[in-house]
Amino acid sequence: MYEQKVRTISFDELLQKFKNNERFVLVDARSGEDYDKSHLPGALSIPVEEIRDYAGRLDKDEEIITYCGGFQCPASTMAAKEFMSLGFKDVLDYKGGIQEWSEKRYPTESS
């Protein structure tokens, strides 16, 4: 079976989307506990194993951007692939994740 390649988005591209107030759904693919400690502004907590249950609440035509802990964390790519397998058309993976975002001193939120 042919598997679609996951497209990525860089820190600068994501930051530009925030600055331009673009519409997108930001998905934190880490555990709920990690999300509660710190997450990117406006992100939804949807751990990889919960995507199938949650997907029905999202518009398949909306842009979805996934992220996780950082470049070494596979969860954001797994989440992006899961969204794509469910028919979401515009999915991007922010590989730098919370680690890169925090290292560049951009604000995070906590629950």
Side-chain angles (χ1 to χ4, degrees), residues 80-91:
K81 286 180 179 179
E82 186 71 11
F83 277 113
M84 290 164 56
S85 77
L86 294 170
F88 287 82
K89 297 166 187 61
D90 195 5
V91 182

Side-chain angles (χ1 to χ4, degrees), residues 23-39:
R23 268 186 66 98
F24 59 92
V25 178
L26 188 59
V27 174
D28 186 324
R30 300 173 303 150
S31 72
E33 292 148 356
D34 286 341
Y35 173 88
D36 288 345
K37 289 178 196 163
S38 177
H39 55 268

Side-chain angles (χ1 to χ4, degrees), residues 35-53:
Y35 173 88
D36 288 345
K37 289 178 196 163
S38 177
H39 55 268
L40 272 59
L44 297 175
S45 174
I46 313 177
V48 176
E49 59 276 4
E50 295 175 20
I51 290 172
R52 284 196 179 275
D53 296 333

Side-chain angles (χ1 to χ4, degrees), residues 58-77:
L58 300 173
D59 181 346
K60 289 190 177 184
D61 293 323
E62 271 193 288
E63 183 174 56
I64 306 283
I65 300 174
T66 62
Y67 77 91
C68 58
F71 289 105
Q72 304 304 316
C73 174
S76 64
T77 303

